[in-house]
Amino acid sequence: MKSALRALQQRSEPGVPAPQIRPRRMRRTQSIRDMVAENAVRVEDLIEPMFVVPGAGVRREISAMPGICQLSADQIVEDARSAAALGIRAVILFGIPERKDDVASGLSDAAGPVQQAIRSLKQALPGLVVIADLCACEYTSHGHCGIVTADGAIDNDATLALLADGALSYARSGADVVAPSDMMDGRVRAIRRALDADGWTDIAIMSYSAKYASAFYGPFREAAESAPAFGDRRTYQMDPANAREAVKEALLDVDEGADIVMVKPAMAYLDVLLRVREAVRVPVAVYNVSGEYSMLKAAAHNGWIDERRAIDELLVSFKRAGADLIVTYFAREFAARSARRSG
Ligand code: PBG
């Protein structure tokens, strides 16, 4: 063995000089690697998603998302407090209402779980950025993100009025940001107009601009109890085959007044993220969705993958592809680890 190694070391191709440019120099030690790292994830970039249910004292784990729970408003405050203590600046809320109907009445209910959670959060943690996901699907009996007509189609323009009312309701409860995730045409303009007309000029809009019709939302639909009762979302969410169209959607949303645009899902759409980042001048967010979380957790649980390394690699890949903000179920785990590293 030893002599074989020596033979290899001694051999050099005649006439071929030894390499003078050696990129490996910059990878030699951890300190050098840290010094030349092009990207890093900051805890301040992370947004933690939370699922609000009615009642008090409720903490129900979602079976397909180990470690993630449906929480009542009081429990949301507990979790947000621990997130904030770790340096997380923002949460995004999804609501599961008591009752659902075909016109999503619960969306604008001042006593609804999201409205209640917003009020409790702003009272307990005034500095926390509270983002309210704005969509009808958790509130409709049929599970679609809009008003369904008699022939089973989604009525785009009727849905706009519904979203505008929802945005106003969240603003009145104290939300800092509303985040429309329905993919109806013209929603950002409709929401901006409604907010401004009612005096909420400081409430920002984070738009799910390029939201794809994706299989990776599976576990979320269990968490939010929002699987469509018939058909699918392909007449409003985007076709995974398209990237140019994502740029068009993002530019439209910026034109209509979006303060932040988002690409969703994340892992299978890093190319889209990069294109959107290059096309707009507003912050770009990416949504590391439920299926992405569950896949990684399942593999880690089976001992097939190193969970911490996989999370770090995944999150930095979003930064590399251009994300300013990352919505992720790993937020607190990552933040806890960063706190330990620096402390
Ligand atoms: C719709 C909405 C969805 C998600 C966020 N907002 C699901 C859907 O469109 O079916 C998915 C988030 C995730 O999978 O983590 N309001």
Side-chain angles (χ1 to χ4, degrees), residues 64 179 202 262 284 291 301 305:
D202 286 343
M262 182 152 59
V284 176
H301 178 75
I305 199 168

Side-chain angles (χ1 to χ4, degrees), residues 51 65 94 133-138 145 181-182 208 211 216-221 226 228 233 237 264 287-291 329:
F51 299 98
M65 301 180 73
F94 297 91
D133 180 87
L134 177 56
C135 190
C137 67
E138 296 108 88
C145 304
S181 63
D182 53 284
Y208 290 66
K211 176 172 176 181
F216 294 99
Y217 306 149
F220 174 93
R221 291 181 187 171
S226 65
R233 303 208 204 285
Q237 298 181 348
K264 174 182 172 197
Y287 200 133
N288 177 205
V289 301
S290 58
Y329 302 97

Side-chain angles (χ1 to χ4, degrees), residues 202-225:
D202 286 343
I203 304 303
I205 299 175
M206 175 169 85
S207 178
Y208 290 66
S209 301
K211 176 172 176 181
Y212 287 85
S214 171
F216 294 99
Y217 306 149
F220 174 93
R221 291 181 187 171
E222 178 201 329
E225 301 168 13

Side-chain angles (χ1 to χ4, degrees), residues 127-149:
L128 184 75
V129 179
V130 177
I131 307 174
D133 180 87
L134 177 56
C135 190
C137 67
E138 296 108 88
Y139 300 89
T140 50
S141 38
H142 45 69
H144 276 289
C145 304
I147 299 291
V148 176
T149 62

Side-chain angles (χ1 to χ4, degrees), residues 158-220:
T159 304
L160 298 183
L162 184 73
L163 294 169
D165 287 347
L168 283 175
S169 175
Y170 291 152
R172 288 173 187 144
S173 304
D176 299 291
V177 182
V178 294
S181 63
D182 53 284
M183 288 301 278
M184 296 302 127
D185 294 331
R187 76 258 168 92
V188 174
R189 173 166 289 131
I191 292 164
R192 187 70 271 160
R193 279 192 175 182
L195 288 173
D196 290 354
D198 203 49
W200 302 102
T201 49
D202 286 343
I203 304 303
I205 299 175
M206 175 169 85
S207 178
Y208 290 66
S209 301
K211 176 172 176 181
Y212 287 85
S214 171
F216 294 99
Y217 306 149
F220 174 93

Side-chain angles (χ1 to χ4, degrees), residues 51-60 70-77 117:
F51 299 98
V52 201
V53 294
V58 184
R59 177 173 290 270
R60 216 168 21 234
Q70 293 182 336
L71 305 166
S72 49
D74 57 312
Q75 300 295 305
I76 291 271
V77 171

